[in-house]
C-alpha cells in the first residue's frame, strides 16, 4: 500500500472488521440452543432457510400499527403517533426478546447497520452480507430467513463495505438491494425468492462492483414502484436514483435520474472520473403532490476539484422529481464545488410545520457539512440556508494538508433526523470530529486504486497535527422549525451514527456505539432513560410499532455481535455489558 494512503486505509478497513466488544448475555427468550443454519444454496433461487429458533407460520395479534418503511412513513419524519410509553413509565421498559444473528446463522457478518421495518406484526430486518430475517414481532419466533448464494456473497468484499440498511415492503414482497448491485424480491409471507435483477441489466451496464458501484441503501416502495439509489461516490461512479416496477423489476421511468453528467461531458469534460453523486439513503415522497425528494452525495474526486470545475450541480444537493416519471421539479445545492467530502448523506424529511408563524409544507435535510437546510416543498424556495449544528472551518485542501471541521465522517452522516410536531423541533444526530486532509497534486495522484471502497478520493487523510482537536464525539441538536434557532444541543460520548425515532408522548429514542439505548425528553433535552444492551455499535435508529395496542421498540446492534432487540413495558430490565465503540467507521455510502 502506498504510504500516503495508509490513513484512509485504516478508516476504510473499519467497515470490514469493527472493533471487538465485551461479551454479554444474549437474553434471548425465543431461542433454543444455537447452531449454524445451512449454507446458502448455489442456486440463484433460494428458499427460506431453517435456523435454530422457534418457527412460526401465523403472526401473534389481531390489530397492528406499523413502522412500514425506512422513515416510518413516506414523509420520512420517523415520528410515530403511539402513546403507551411515556416519560412517567419509560423506566419500566425492558427486553421482550432478542436474537444474536450469528447464532441464527454463522455466516452473518460484522458491522450491522440495519433499520428494521415492521408490517402487520412481522419485523423484517437485514444484516451485513445481505441476509434477511422475518420475526414474529411479539414472540421473536422466526417466520423465515433468506441468504444470498455463496458464490455471489464471496464477491461482496470487493466493495470495501458490506453493510445493508434495510428493506422495503409492498405488493406482497420484501425488497432488498445487495452489495453486488442486484435487487431481490422475496415473498413477504414465506421469504421465497420471487425475482432478482442485476442493476447492470435494468439501469446501465456500468453498474457493477468492478466499476466501483455497490449498494448499502434501503429501497423505498410506493404505489407499485421500488425506488433505489446508488453507492460508490468515493469511487468516482456516476450516481443515480432509479425506479423499478415492483411487479417484474423492469424500469418504471424512461431513464434513471443521473446526478452527474456522462464522463467526459459538461463539467466532467476533462475528468478521468465519472463524477460521484451517489444517493446514500432512501428518498421520501409527498403522497399529496407525487413529488419525491432525495439527497445526493459528494462529487469525485473528493478532495481534488481541478478536473471538475464549477458548482458540480446536483452533488451535495436535495433533488425533487416527479415520482411517476423522474422529471426534475427543483434541486438545491448545500455545498457547491465540494472539496471536503460533505455529502448530503441522510434522507430528507417532509414536514408540515409552523415556520415564522405560518403553516407550511417544507423539506429539510442536514448535511455532513454540519449545516441544516429547509426549503419550500413545492417550489424549492430557501427557508433556512445552512444553520450550523457543528464546528465549521474548512479551508481549501492543499497537498501539504489542512485541518477541517467537520471531517469526512460528520456532521450528519447517514443517521436520520426525527421531527416532533408538538414542540416543532427537528432533532439532528451528528458526528463532531475534525480531520486532517491532503489534496492531490493532479488527477493521476487523485486516483487511489489500491484502496478498498475508495478509488477516487483525491487523496488521503493524515494524522491530526499537534495542537489540533481530532477527538470524536456526538451531538443531538434541537432546531426550532418556527424560528430556525437552536433550542438546545446535547453532547454524547461517541459519534451519533444511528439516528433517532420519536413518538407522540414527546420521547425520542436513539442508540450509541457502546450499546446504550436512550430515551430523550424532546422538550427539555434531558435523557430520562438509558439501557445497556449486551452488544455494541448501535448504528441504526429504532422502529416503533404496536400489536393489539401494546407498544414495542426494536433496535439492531452491529460490531462483532450483531443482534436484534425488542423492548416493551414490563420486559426484562437486566442490563448487559457495555460494548467497545468503533469511532472510525467508513464514510462511504
Amino acid at each position: 500500500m502506498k504510504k500516503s494512503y495508509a490513513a484512509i486505509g485504516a478508516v476504510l478497513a473499519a467497515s470490514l472488521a469493527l472493533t471487538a466488544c465485551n461479551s454479554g448475555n444474549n437474553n434471548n427468550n425465543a431461542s433454543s440452543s444455537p447452531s449454524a443454519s445451512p449454507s446458502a444454496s448455489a442456486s440463484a433461487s433460494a428458499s427460506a432457510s431453517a435456523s435454530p429458533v422457534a418457527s412460526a407460520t401465523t403472526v401473534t395479534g389481531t390489530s397492528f400499527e406499523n413502522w412500514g418503511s425506512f422513515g416510518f412513513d413516506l414523509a420520512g419524519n420517523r415520528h410515530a403517533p403511539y402513546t403507551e410509553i411515556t416519560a412517567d413509565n419509560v423506566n419500566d421498559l425492558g427486553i421482550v426478546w432478542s436474537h444474536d444473528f450469528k447464532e441464527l446463522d454463522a455466516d452473518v457478518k460484522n458491522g450491522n447497520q440495519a433499520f428494521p421495518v415492521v408490517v402487520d406484526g412481522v419485523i423484517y430486518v437485514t444484516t451485513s452480507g445481505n441476509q434477511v430475517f422475518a420475526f414474529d414481532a411479539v414472540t421473536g419466533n422466526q417466520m423465515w430467513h433468506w441468504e444470498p448464494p455463496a458464490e455471489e456473497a464471496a464477491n461482496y468484499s470487493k466493495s470495501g463495505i458490506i453493510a445493508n440498511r434495510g428493506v422495503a415492503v409492498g405488493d406482497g414482497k420484501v425488497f432488498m438491494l445487495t452489495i453486488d448491485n442486484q435487487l431481490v424480491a422475496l415473498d413477504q409471507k414465506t421469504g421465497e425468492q420471487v425475482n432478482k435483477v442485476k442493476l447492470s441489466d435494468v439501469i446501465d451496464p456500468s453498474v457493477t462492483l468492478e466499476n466501483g458501484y455497490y449498494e448499502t441503501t434501503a429501497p423505498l416502495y410506493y404505489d407499485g414502484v421500488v425506488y433505489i439509489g446508488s453507492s460508490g461516490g468515493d469511487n468516482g461512479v456516476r450516481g443515480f436514483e432509479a425506479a423499478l416496477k415492483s411487479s417484474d423489476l423492469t424500469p418504471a421511468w424512461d431513464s434513471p435520474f443521473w446526478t452527474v453528467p456522462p464522463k467526459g461531458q459538461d463539467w466532467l469534460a476533462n475528468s478521468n472520473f465519472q463524477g460521484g453523486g451517489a444517493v446514500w439513503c432512501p428518498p421520501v415522497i409527498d403522497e399529496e403532490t407525487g413529488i419525491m425528494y432525495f439527497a445526493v452525495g459528494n462529487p469525485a474526486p473528493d478532495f481534488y476539484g481541478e478536473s471538475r470545475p464549477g458548482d458540480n450541480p446536483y452533488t451535495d444537493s436535495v433533488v425533487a422529481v416527479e415520482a411517476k416519471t423522474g422529471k426534475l421539479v427543483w434541486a438545491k445545492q448545500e455545498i457547491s464545488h465540494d472539496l471536503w467530502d460533505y455529502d448530503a448523506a441522510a434522507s430528507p424529511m417532509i414536514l408540515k410545520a409552523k415556520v415564522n408563524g405560518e403553516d407550511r409544507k417544507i423539506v429539510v435535510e442536514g448535511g455532513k457539512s454540519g449545516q441544516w437546510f429547509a426549503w419550500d416543498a413545492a417550489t424549492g424556495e430557501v427557508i433556512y440556508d445552512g444553520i450550523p449544528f457543528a464546528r465549521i472551518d474548512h479551508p481549501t485542501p492543499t497537498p501539504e494538508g489542512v485541518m477541517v471541521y467537520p471531517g469526512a465522517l460528520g456532521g450528519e452522516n447517514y443517521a436520520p433526523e426525527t421531527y416532533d410536531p408538538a414542540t416543532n423541533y427537528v432533532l439532528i444526530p451528528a458526528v463532531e470530529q475534525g480531520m486532517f486532509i491532503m489534496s492531490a497534486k493532479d488527477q493521476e495522484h487523485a486516483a487511489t486504486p489500491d484502496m478498498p471502497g475508495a478509488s477516487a478520493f483525491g487523496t488521503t487523510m493524515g494524522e491530526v497535527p499537534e495542537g489540533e482537536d481530532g477527538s470524536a464525539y456526538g451531538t443531538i441538536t434541537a432546531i426550532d422549525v418556527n424560528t430556525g434557532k437552536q433550542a438546545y444541543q446535547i453532547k454524547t460520548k461517541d459519534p451519533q451514527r444511528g439516528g433517532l425515532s420519536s413518538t407522540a408522548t414527546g420521547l425520542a429514542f436513539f442508540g450509541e456505539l457502546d450499546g446504550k439505548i436512550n430515551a430523550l425528553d424532546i422538550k427539555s433535552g434531558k435523557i430520562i432513560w438509558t439501557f445497556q444492551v449486551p452488544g455494541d455499535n448501535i448504528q441504526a435508529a429504532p422502529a416503533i410499532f404496536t400489536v393489539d395496542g401494546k407498544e414495542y421498540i426494536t433496535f439492531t446492534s452491529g460490531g462483532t455481535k450483531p443482534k436484534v432487540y425488542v423492548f416493551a413495558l414490563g420486559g426484562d430490565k437486566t442490563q448487559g455489558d457495555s460494548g467497545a465503540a468503533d469511532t472510525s467507521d467508513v464514510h462511504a455510502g
Side-chain angles (χ1 to χ4, degrees):
M1 182 181 295
K2 297 177 183 178
K3 184 177 181 181
S4 62
Y5 302 153
I8 183 175
V11 174
L12 291 168
S15 68
L16 300 177
L18 296 178
T19 306
C21 63
N22 294 332
S23 61
N25 296 326
N26 189 39
N27 200 17
N28 187 341
N29 297 340
S31 174
S32 59
S33 59
S35 62
S37 66
S39 300
S41 167
S43 169
S45 177
S47 60
S49 56
S51 289
V53 296
S55 61
T57 55
T58 58
V59 175
T60 304
T62 58
S63 65
F64 311 101
E65 293 176 291
N66 298 328
W67 189 281
S69 65
F70 178 88
F72 173 66
D73 57 12
L74 292 172
N77 55 35
R78 305 196 67 84
H79 181 81
Y82 311 145
T83 58
E84 184 189 19
I85 300 170
T86 69
D88 292 332
N89 63 23
V90 68
N91 285 309
D92 195 33
L93 280 175
I95 297 176
V96 177
W97 62 265
S98 71
H99 285 306
D100 184 324
F101 284 118
K102 289 191 175 186
E103 292 184 353
L104 301 183
D105 190 319
D107 288 336
V108 169
K109 309 304 181 186
N110 295 344
N112 193 27
Q113 297 177 357
F115 291 74
V117 170
V118 188
V119 177
D120 295 343
V122 179
I123 296 174
Y124 302 95
V125 64
T126 62
T127 72
S128 288
N130 288 134
Q131 297 199 37
V132 190
F133 290 86
F135 300 110
D136 182 298
V138 173
T139 66
N141 291 341
Q142 184 173 289
M143 309 294 293
W144 52 262
H145 167 212
W146 182 90
E147 58 184 325
E151 70 272 16
E152 294 179 4
N155 293 319
Y156 290 172
S157 60
K158 294 178 181 178
S159 70
I161 180 172
I162 56 171
N164 181 273
R165 295 183 184 134
V167 302
V169 178
D171 193 24
K173 305 180 188 74
V174 176
F175 302 93
M176 178 185 63
L177 287 159
T178 64
I179 291 295
D180 64 343
N181 303 292
Q182 299 188 79
L183 179 62
V184 179
L186 308 175
D187 184 277
Q188 185 177 343
K189 291 184 178 180
T190 67
E192 293 184 0
Q193 185 173 298
V194 177
N195 201 355
K196 181 166 67 172
V197 295
K198 295 180 179 180
L199 300 188
S200 58
D201 291 336
V202 293
I203 304 297
D204 187 88
S206 67
V207 183
T208 64
L209 278 174
E210 289 71 22
N211 289 325
Y213 284 96
Y214 57 93
E215 290 288 351
T216 58
T217 186
L220 183 76
Y221 172 86
Y222 169 60
D223 195 21
V225 177
V226 182
Y227 297 93
I228 60 175
S230 54
S231 300
D234 297 320
N235 294 335
V237 303
R238 188 184 183 201
F240 64 82
E241 180 72 23
L244 303 178
K245 297 175 185 177
S246 62
S247 57
D248 58 7
L249 306 187
T250 60
W253 293 345
D254 290 341
S255 66
F257 187 97
W258 295 101
T259 62
V260 300
K263 184 178 180 181
Q265 297 184 28
D266 198 12
W267 53 269
L268 293 173
N270 298 309
S271 178
N272 295 336
F273 305 96
Q274 291 193 91
V279 181
W280 285 38
C281 285
V284 294
I285 296 176
D286 185 340
E287 295 182 84
E288 295 176 344
T289 65
I291 299 177
M292 184 176 79
Y293 308 86
F294 58 91
V296 184
N298 63 279
D302 296 43
F303 302 152
Y304 176 78
E306 295 300 317
S307 62
R308 48 175 177 85
D311 290 343
N312 310 148
Y314 303 147
T315 64
D316 293 354
S317 297
V318 168
V319 177
V321 301
E322 295 176 354
K324 287 296 184 184
T325 66
K327 181 181 178 180
L328 179 67
V329 177
W330 58 259
K332 295 295 179 180
Q333 193 169 45
E334 298 177 359
I335 302 293
S336 64
H337 193 69
D338 177 17
L339 299 173
W340 308 276
D341 194 13
Y342 282 163
D343 313 70
S347 295
M349 296 192 297
I350 304 169
L351 311 182
K352 291 181 177 179
K354 190 78 71 176
V355 180
N356 296 321
E358 298 182 0
D359 293 328
R360 299 190 66 171
K361 183 186 290 185
I362 64 175
V363 174
V364 304
E365 206 269 344
K368 282 173 60 182
S369 64
Q371 298 168 284
W372 184 80
F373 300 82
W375 305 273
D376 181 272
T379 67
E381 173 196 352
V382 176
I383 296 172
Y384 297 127
D385 191 18
I387 296 172
F389 57 86
R391 180 179 175 181
I392 297 174
D393 182 14
H394 46 257
T396 300
T398 66
E400 295 74 29
V402 296
M403 194 71 192
V404 300
Y405 300 90
L409 300 180
E412 184 177 358
N413 207 280
Y414 67 84
E417 304 169 7
T418 190
Y419 171 67
D420 176 51
T423 58
N424 205 26
Y425 289 172
V426 164
L427 301 181
I428 306 168
V431 177
E432 192 71 73
Q433 182 179 17
M435 186 171 286
F436 189 73
I437 65 174
M438 292 169 280
S439 68
K441 298 177 182 179
D442 52 39
Q443 282 205 74
E444 180 181 353
H445 290 91
T448 54
D450 55 345
M451 292 314 308
S455 60
F457 213 77
T459 97
T460 192
M461 298 172 285
E463 293 293 328
V464 174
E466 186 175 351
E468 296 283 358
D469 184 9
S471 59
Y473 61 93
T475 61
I476 295 174
T477 304
I479 299 290
D480 186 329
V481 179
N482 187 50
T483 65
K485 296 185 181 300
Q486 187 179 121
Y488 58 80
Q489 183 179 83
I490 66 170
K491 180 178 178 180
T492 59
K493 179 173 66 71
D494 297 315
Q496 285 297 307
R497 295 236 180 84
L500 302 112
S501 305
S502 60
T503 68
T505 56
L507 300 180
F509 295 90
F510 66 96
E512 299 192 66
L513 295 182
D514 63 358
K516 287 187 177 67
I517 294 173
N518 302 302
L520 175 74
D521 182 277
I522 296 172
K523 185 175 183 179
S524 68
K526 304 293 185 183
I527 294 176
I528 60 173
W529 173 78
T530 296
F531 191 102
Q532 178 66 61
V533 301
D536 62 351
N537 288 288
I538 295 173
Q539 299 196 55
I544 306 169
F545 60 96
T546 75
V547 175
D548 291 340
K550 186 173 182 63
E551 188 174 332
Y552 298 85
I553 304 169
T554 179
F555 277 87
T556 64
S557 64
T560 59
K561 295 182 173 65
K563 298 184 180 184
V564 57
Y565 301 90
V566 170
F567 286 79
L569 297 177
D572 187 346
K573 300 180 183 62
T574 305
Q575 305 283 304
D577 296 328
S578 63
D582 173 67
T583 59
S584 58
D585 191 21
V586 68
H587 66 288

